[in-house]
Amino acid sequence: MELILAIGIGVLAGSGVFLLLRPRTFQVIVGLSLISYAVNLFIFSMGRIRLNAAPVLNPAANDPALYTDPVPQALVLTAIVIGFAMTALFLVVLLASRGFTGTDHVDGRER
Amino acid sequence: MSSEVLLTVLIVLPFLSSLVAGSLPANARNAEVWLAGAVALIGLAITISFYPDVTGGEVVRYEIPWLPSAGLNLIIRMDGFAWIFSMLITGIGFLVVLYARYYMSPKDPVPRFFAFFLAFMGAMLGVVTSGNIIQLVVFWELTSVTSFLLIGYWYHNANARDGARMALTVTAIGGLALLVAMLLVGHVIGSYDLEAVLASGNTLREHPLYTTILILMLLGAFTKSAQFPFQFWLPRAMAAPTPVSAYLHSATMVKAGVFLLVRFWPVMAGTDQWFWIVSSAGLITLVMGAYAAIFQQDLKGLLAYSTISHLGLITTLLGMGTPLAAVAAIFHIVNHATFKASLFMAAGIIDHETGTRDLRRLSGLFKYMPFTGTLAIIASAAMAGVPLLNGFISKEMFFTETAIRNPNMFANLALPIGAIVAGIFSVAYALRFVYGVFFGPQPTDLEKVPHEPPSLMRIPIEVLVLICLIVGIIPGIAIGPYLATAVVAVLGQDTPHYSLSIWHGFNLPLLMSIGALIGGVILYIMLRPYLALGLEGPPLMRRLVGQRIFERILVTISWKWAKTVERWAGTRRLQPQLFLLVLICVVTAWFALRPGFEPVKLQLGGWDPGFVILWMVGIFCAIAAAHQAKYHRLASLILMSGAGLVTCMTFVWFSAPDLAVTQLLVEIVTTVLILLGLRWLPKRFQKGDTDHTALRTKLRRYRDIVLGVFAGGGVAALSYAIMTRTAVPDGISRFFLERAYTEGGGTNVINVMLVDFRGFDTFGEIAVLGVVAITVFALLRRFRPAADSVEKPEQQRIQNAYDDLRPNRQSGDTVNEYLMIPSVIMQWMFPVIIVLSAYIFLRGHDLPGGGFAAGITMSIGFILQYMAGGTRWVEDRLRILPVKWIGTGLLIALATGLGAWVFGYPFLTMAFQYADLAIIGKVPMATALFFDLGVFVLVVGATVLILIALAHQSVRSPKAARSTVLPTHAVEPPPEPALETTAVETPALEIPGGAS
């Protein structure tokens, strides 16, 4: 399971990096989204992946070993939100830049 | 009042009143003066009231814990030495305020002046009363900044701007060096508390880092006190208004450097390094400053060089390292402040009444302003060290110290010779000041007939000159006890016996004084023919201008080197920058991780086929999205969302329902937002890579694929290596798992962490979201689409053409009838979604859900309405004012956090309780719920604002968008978008997102 997830993260990150280096703004925004998925999964995997562990506490059973690791999950939750804000902002910058420069090249001019 | 309150008032009051002063109307000159004067007087009264508490080496301390674990507490500490400085700062501050009332012209914007002035007063009081050495540096830099603002007060004047910039560059760089010195001191001693530092002189002096610390500390002190080789900024700072020169650049701020030297004298002085560096820098400054002062043509320039020279005298005294010399230094700090401030004020009056400060144009003014003349003459005499004035006593102490036989050859010869030469020079420039301005022939080319200033403007000078006289005649009574207080505070048990009387019999120092006086007179008479030539700058040193060197260095660093670096490493293009960034990341990660990478054993097998298929889909989606992103944006977007869904299902698979819910909801909103944006991107058609320019493009593409493979492979290897290791059993997770229910009152650990344990993080996060939403809105208000995107989308044009061809249809009918039945369902779903969102919100503390997920759900409800009814339909009916929602949400979250303070807990402490409600049953009532409510309200506001701003673009008129004069009302604020002026020209309906 770990290997599959690791390969998945790697492919997401690799595709994202490739897109990040492309000349068109839309490619970059897709690339950034893919990188966010990869990074979120990467942070999440730092807590080790566990099948069928309880994410919600049962006050009666107070053994930490029974539950998933909440720390990476809380971090990823924040990361998802910030990623959303980043995508929205980048999208608008992209549109504004396209309007101002007349091109969707990331350098602001066609080569 | 307790001493704690008084000390706090002393520091905080100037800063608070600075804010008040800055917000008064521009012509409120008198109100400003009353305010600033009152602040200075209150400060003076507080300082005086502390006198009984600080005599005999007593210290008053007030410690406010801030970061006790890092040794950083705010400590306000008043001892005898800080006391005498506080007296100078508040006392002279008051006199300067009074003087500035008449000096500043009614046309000058006084609120700015007094706001900076008061802020400086607070910063300077902060420097002298800091009981923590880091705190001292902070206030120190604040004085640099306020000094910058005050020098540049007349910012329309290029000299003022340059002078201000130079002063800030020099003193702030010194301040940074000082910060490093203080950090090193803290490292050596283990405490930033001044008390602890003063108690560990031996540790410090014997530490290998001593020389480093000393040099860094001296960099701070020398730049601030304009010591050689950093003296050049002070004459340039004379572009400031004269009250500023009198206050900052003679009496207080430039004294901060020598203040520091005195403060650390007990722990740093007494070594060879100290003696050589400090006394030689001081001696050079003393002689050079006095020499340059003689030849200045600007009145304030003469005083500035004289200040440099006197500061050099104080530094030389401190460099000698004997307790008696330190006493003389402290005494001279006070004396110099009194006579030099009064001289600056006199120079300001002369400037004010004659319109010039040029010594070549001034002469014979005594007839016109006898009072001011008399005062200036007495003050100049004090500066020259004439008997019966305060300057004489401290100068004689200086001569006494230099004349002491010393086994050291340098000390034996250079010090007394330098002292007497500087004495001669100082008499000569004092004579030049007095004789050149007040005596001699009638002034000829003055703009106006000079006369005495308003009597109130003279009062500050009168007070200061009176002090010069009293201290000069009866020093033992007038200053003795206060000086003793300051000296004991610095020297403690080492306080030597000293005598403050004016007559010590015929001895060497007296002869040196007399020699300097006679020599000075002769020198002045000899130099008169040369001075009459009116040449600019001192002979022999004309070419050696520190300022020019400084500027050359500045140009080299900030222009030439910057250019070179830009040429080599800079690029205006994003694509190569991103490539370099990623490359550096990959390479550094490789080098950092390579040594720690044990060979990992591959665990094959045990795979769930479902998961394998899931990720096969995910991998396909990711690669296909990358492949299609250039020519098939919609397909790429759908594939990207596919990868997002796989991510989301992975979260479900590995027991993270909260993440899955949030990821899914965010995925929906993101996709819709990007869909809305697609319409404004240019059309692009795939064509074969045939022409030869494609070779470079191809090579770049392969290069990027290689880099992408390395980056992805690295991340994969890293995550695999970590996932296959066993977790640290006692990580911090245990803490949260054990306390989430007992202390946070919720069973959903993730949510409890977000709203309770890490509430501050979440607070920052929603603030970011709000900022982003408002930025998006602001950017799109002035949005101008590219020319080729202005036309209606091709799809709509075809549909309209179809409508036009048929007699029974009107243009736009097809667009209207689009999604007819689904749109009714979507409208019906709206209340259902609101209830769902409320449900997700309320269960959040105990089950997956929460404010963020609920907020996004709610905004998805709005998105559906946009899809069903179209932009215009929704905007007509929208009852949400997104900007207000953002503000309200943030305020609710903040208020919940602040509520904890009312009960005496730290910010954002949450409380919880179970409430028994009728019918519903037992409901957990944590204050975290209110916090989560704030999150919910903000998220709804922010998401809806972004959505409206983007969707609204589609109803904008092509005509309005194309016009060259961009109408600011082209996009109204979303709350009332229906007011758009060009509404008639736009199509009745458009389906957002369907336009790509």
Side-chain angles (χ1 to χ4, degrees):
Chain A
M1 299 294 264
E2 280 87 356
L3 186 63
I4 299 169
L5 183 57
I7 293 173
I9 293 174
V11 172
L12 284 176
S15 314
V17 165
F18 171 73
L19 280 179
L20 191 67
L21 304 176
R22 296 298 89 223
R24 304 293 156 188
T25 43
F26 183 77
Q27 293 173 306
V28 176
I29 200 171
V30 174
L32 278 176
S33 296
L34 291 180
I35 291 181
S36 331
Y37 299 145
V39 169
N40 288 347
L41 284 171
F42 179 73
I43 300 175
F44 173 67
S45 71
M46 292 301 103
R48 311 297 183 272
I49 49 175
R50 296 188 53 186
L51 286 167
N52 299 325
V56 171
L57 287 177
N58 176 4
N62 206 358
D63 178 14
L66 292 173
Y67 301 101
T68 51
D69 190 344
V71 177
Q73 293 197 23
L75 293 176
V76 170
L77 204 61
T78 312
I80 292 176
V81 178
I82 297 293
F84 166 62
M86 182 197 69
T87 310
L89 185 63
F90 183 69
L91 175 70
V92 172
V93 172
L94 174 166
L95 292 179
S97 147
R98 153 91 174 125
F100 276 119
T101 61
T103 166
D104 66 338
H105 197 288
V106 286
D107 297 346
R109 57 169 184 226
E110 293 288 338
R111 244 192 286 247
Chain B
M1 270 190 281
S2 67
S3 61
E4 279 91 357
V5 177
L6 286 176
L7 280 175
T8 316
V9 169
L10 182 66
I11 307 297
V12 174
L13 185 66
F15 286 111
L16 285 184
S17 33
S18 160
L19 291 179
V20 177
S23 52
L24 287 178
N27 54 0
R29 201 148 63 121
N30 290 328
E32 296 279 1
V33 171
W34 279 109
L35 175 73
V39 170
L41 273 187
I42 292 170
L44 185 65
I46 292 176
T47 312
I48 292 174
S49 76
F50 273 111
Y51 182 64
D53 303 323
V54 296
T55 45
E58 296 290 312
V59 174
V60 187
R61 264 171 75 96
Y62 176 37
E63 190 163 345
I64 309 162
W66 180 51
L67 281 177
S69 52
L72 290 177
N73 290 338
L74 293 174
I75 305 172
I76 311 177
R77 178 185 185 277
M78 177 76 87
D79 65 356
F81 186 52
W83 182 84
I84 209 156
F85 252 93
S86 302
M87 288 294 288
L88 287 178
I89 296 162
T90 52
I92 297 185
F94 174 71
L95 296 175
V96 171
V97 167
L98 185 60
Y99 175 79
R101 160 68 182 79
Y102 295 95
Y103 180 85
M104 300 306 280
S105 134
K107 277 172 287 178
D108 290 321
V110 276
R112 201 153 51 86
F113 179 81
F114 282 102
F116 297 158
F117 188 90
L118 285 167
F120 167 77
M121 188 186 283
M124 194 66 209
L125 284 169
V127 169
V128 299
T129 57
S130 285
N132 178 306
I133 54 178
I134 302 297
Q135 182 189 343
L136 189 152
V137 181
V138 172
F139 280 116
W140 177 282
E141 292 289 49
L142 261 181
T143 63
S144 291
V145 173
T146 43
S147 151
F148 165 77
L149 293 169
L150 282 167
I151 298 171
Y153 174 70
W154 285 316
Y155 53 72
H156 45 81
N157 179 345
N159 268 335
R161 291 196 302 267
D162 291 347
R165 197 161 48 228
M166 180 184 284
L168 181 68
T169 315
V170 176
T171 53
I173 288 176
L176 289 179
L178 182 66
L179 176 63
V180 179
M182 293 310 185
L183 291 172
L184 286 176
V185 168
H187 167 74
V188 170
I189 292 173
S191 166
Y192 295 118
D193 192 332
L194 187 62
E195 222 78 54
V197 174
L198 291 180
S200 22
N202 285 333
T203 326
L204 208 55
R205 278 188 298 266
E206 284 154 18
H207 199 275
L209 279 172
Y210 168 78
T211 313
T212 320
I213 295 174
L214 178 68
I215 289 171
L216 288 168
M217 195 182 276
L218 291 180
L219 270 177
F222 285 1
T223 48
K224 200 78 162 179
S225 279
Q227 295 299 293
F228 179 82
F230 307 108
Q231 77 292 350
F232 51 88
W233 69 265
L234 188 56
R236 293 295 303 270
M238 292 299 127
T242 304
V244 174
S245 309
Y247 190 41
L248 273 71
H249 305 122
S250 76
T252 53
M253 191 191 87
V254 290
K255 296 280 165 51
V258 283
F259 168 84
L260 186 83
L261 293 183
V262 176
R263 186 91 279 179
F264 284 86
W265 191 89
V267 287
M268 298 293 285
T271 60
D272 279 350
Q273 297 100 305
W274 172 279
F275 173 80
W276 284 109
I277 303 176
V278 179
S279 62
S280 55
L283 198 63
I284 294 172
T285 317
L286 166 67
V287 177
M288 222 172 72
Y291 172 72
I294 304 176
F295 301 97
Q296 295 304 309
Q297 304 299 354
D298 177 13
L299 212 52
K300 278 174 80 177
L302 185 151
L303 293 177
Y305 276 103
S306 146
T307 303
I308 292 175
S309 161
H310 279 274
L311 290 167
L313 188 154
I314 297 166
T315 309
T316 316
L317 276 169
L318 291 168
M320 290 180 201
T322 61
L324 265 175
V327 174
I330 297 172
F331 190 27
H332 198 68
I333 289 175
V334 180
N335 290 339
H336 178 252
T338 49
F339 65 68
K340 194 49 71 62
S342 60
L343 278 174
F344 266 112
M345 291 191 206
I349 288 179
I350 293 163
D351 185 12
H352 206 251
E353 300 303 330
T354 63
T356 180
R357 302 193 311 243
D358 196 326
L359 277 163
R360 287 166 290 200
R361 291 169 64 192
L362 294 166
S363 74
L365 288 185
F366 196 78
K367 220 169 73 185
Y368 299 96
M369 36 175 74
F371 285 110
T372 312
T374 314
L375 294 171
I377 291 168
I378 300 172
S380 309
M383 175 167 75
V386 172
L388 292 186
L389 290 162
N390 60 352
F392 170 73
I393 305 172
S394 46
K395 209 163 220 181
E396 206 177 45
M397 287 166 97
F398 173 57
F399 286 148
T400 314
E401 284 308 303
T402 55
I404 290 170
R405 306 300 296 168
N406 193 303
N408 189 318
M409 210 40 205
F410 168 78
N412 237 350
L413 282 175
L415 281 177
I417 293 173
I420 201 152
V421 168
I424 291 172
F425 288 162
S426 76
V427 173
Y429 66 68
L431 269 176
R432 171 139 199 256
F433 181 90
V434 168
Y435 197 85
V437 173
F438 293 105
F439 300 99
Q442 285 277 1
T444 46
D445 57 344
L446 292 182
E447 280 143 25
K448 41 191 174 183
V449 180
H451 57 81
E452 283 288 347
S455 59
L456 271 171
M457 191 175 181
R458 236 172 32 220
I459 283 188
I461 313 184
E462 284 162 2
V463 172
L464 290 171
V465 167
L466 194 66
I467 294 173
C468 289
L469 276 167
I470 296 174
V471 172
I473 296 167
I474 42 168
I477 303 163
I479 189 91
Y482 313 111
L483 183 64
T485 304
V487 167
V488 169
V490 175
L491 299 175
Q493 296 175 341
D494 298 334
T495 308
H497 174 77
Y498 59 89
S499 147
L500 276 183
S501 52
I502 39 178
W503 180 251
H504 289 114
F506 273 110
N507 50 13
L508 188 59
L510 186 66
L511 283 177
M512 284 166 84
S513 280
I514 295 169
L517 278 173
I518 297 170
V521 174
I522 296 171
L523 179 69
Y524 177 63
I525 294 169
M526 278 165 55
L527 277 178
R528 285 200 64 182
Y530 175 83
L531 290 173
L533 296 175
L535 296 174
E536 204 54 73
L540 303 179
M541 275 172 32
R542 208 167 280 134
R543 286 175 175 283
L544 189 76
V545 190
Q547 173 200 339
R548 214 167 282 159
I549 301 168
F550 169 82
E551 273 163 6
R552 191 153 299 166
I553 293 174
L554 213 60
V555 163
T556 310
I557 293 176
S558 70
W559 184 248
K560 286 187 188 153
W561 290 3
K563 275 288 213 193
T564 316
V565 171
E566 199 200 356
R567 203 167 46 242
W568 283 99
T571 165
R572 285 161 191 271
R573 307 203 319 266
L574 187 69
Q575 213 182 348
Q577 278 177 16
L578 283 176
F579 177 77
L580 281 178
L581 277 178
V582 175
L583 186 70
I584 292 170
C585 282
V586 171
V587 170
T588 24
W590 170 256
F591 278 107
L593 294 171
R594 203 176 39 135
F597 243 76
E598 303 150 18
V600 189
K601 221 174 80 188
L602 280 184
Q603 293 171 349
L604 300 170
W607 296 344
D608 191 316
F611 194 67
V612 176
I613 294 172
L614 178 70
W615 268 105
M616 277 165 70
V617 174
I619 288 169
F620 168 76
C621 281
I623 294 175
H627 186 251
Q628 297 294 320
K630 187 162 188 184
Y631 296 110
H632 303 281
R633 297 199 189 101
L634 186 61
S636 170
L637 183 60
I638 292 167
L639 289 163
M640 181 193 105
S641 306
L645 283 178
V646 170
T647 308
C648 177
M649 286 171 76
T650 309
F651 288 140
V652 177
W653 208 285
F654 295 122
S655 331
D658 255 306
L659 296 188
V661 168
T662 314
Q663 177 80 54
L664 184 66
L665 294 168
V666 165
E667 201 54 51
I668 294 169
V669 179
T670 312
T671 310
V672 170
L673 288 184
I674 299 181
L675 277 173
L676 283 173
L678 282 183
R679 183 220 184 292
W680 304 107
L681 291 173
K683 282 185 175 177
R684 180 160 289 113
F685 299 104
Q686 191 155 13
K687 47 183 193 274
D689 298 333
T690 45
D691 44 345
H692 64 279
T693 50
L695 182 67
R696 269 183 66 188
T697 319
K698 259 186 191 165
L699 278 178
R700 191 166 51 235
R701 204 171 294 153
Y702 291 134
R703 182 196 72 184
D704 293 347
I705 289 175
V706 171
L707 187 61
V709 167
F710 272 105
V715 175
L718 188 61
S719 50
Y720 183 73
I722 293 178
M723 276 190 281
T724 47
R725 281 168 201 215
T726 41
V728 187
D730 279 321
I732 44 174
S733 313
R734 174 181 275 272
F735 173 88
F736 294 110
L737 286 167
E738 281 171 353
R739 286 171 175 72
Y741 186 69
T742 50
E743 292 178 20
T747 51
N748 183 4
V749 194
I750 317 288
N751 185 274
V752 174
M753 279 177 76
L754 284 182
V755 296
D756 194 335
F757 292 121
R758 298 176 64 241
F760 200 71
D761 260 17
T762 308
F763 187 64
E765 176 198 338
I766 60 171
V768 168
L769 201 58
V771 170
V772 164
I774 289 168
T775 314
V776 164
F777 173 54
L779 275 171
L780 286 180
R781 258 177 85 91
R782 300 291 187 102
F783 174 63
R784 183 163 41 167
D788 55 330
S789 303
V790 171
E791 292 291 314
K792 272 183 193 157
E794 192 184 1
Q795 189 187 2
Q796 276 187 29
R797 286 204 303 271
I798 294 171
Q799 285 168 344
N800 287 349
Y802 172 85
D803 291 340
D804 288 339
L805 285 178
R806 277 151 190 79
N808 58 339
R809 296 180 73 91
Q810 294 206 326
S811 177
D813 275 358
T814 312
V815 182
N816 282 338
E817 289 160 8
Y818 186 63
L819 285 178
M820 208 56 137
I821 293 166
S823 75
V824 174
I825 299 173
M826 287 184 214
Q827 284 174 2
W828 285 354
M829 288 301 284
F830 191 50
V832 180
I833 292 176
I834 293 179
V835 172
L836 174 71
S837 134
Y839 171 67
I840 292 181
F841 172 71
L842 284 173
R843 77 203 283 262
H845 212 50
D846 283 331
L847 291 166
F852 184 78
I856 295 274
T857 310
M858 180 96 166
S859 56
I860 290 175
F862 284 99
I863 291 176
L864 284 180
Q865 298 318 299
Y866 268 92
M867 291 167 79
T871 310
R872 191 162 296 285
W873 186 86
V874 178
E875 284 178 355
D876 284 345
R877 289 163 182 75
L878 196 65
R879 292 290 169 270
I880 280 190
L881 306 175
V883 179
K884 286 196 180 149
W885 279 56
I886 292 174
T888 313
L890 207 55
L891 283 179
I892 293 175
L894 182 69
T896 317
L898 291 179
W901 276 355
V902 178
F903 300 97
Y905 291 102
F907 184 58
L908 280 171
T909 310
M910 302 295 173
F912 78 98
Q913 206 171 0
Y914 281 85
D916 251 326
L917 293 185
I919 306 169
I920 301 175
K922 226 173 161 193
V923 177
M925 296 292 285
T927 53
L929 194 68
F930 293 111
F931 184 77
D932 224 11
L933 180 68
V935 174
F936 169 75
V937 172
L938 185 135
V939 168
V940 173
T943 322
V944 171
L945 181 60
I946 297 175
L947 186 70
I948 291 176
L950 268 169
H952 185 74
Q953 304 308 320
S954 63
V955 295
R956 291 178 56 195
S957 146
K959 202 175 168 190
R962 212 182 300 160
S963 63
T964 42
V965 184
L966 197 68
T968 49
H969 57 266
V971 186
E972 285 296 326
E976 27 322 301
L979 293 177
E980 198 191 348
T981 49
T982 50
V984 274
E985 298 169 40
T986 56
L989 276 179
E990 278 194 11
I991 314 293
S996 63

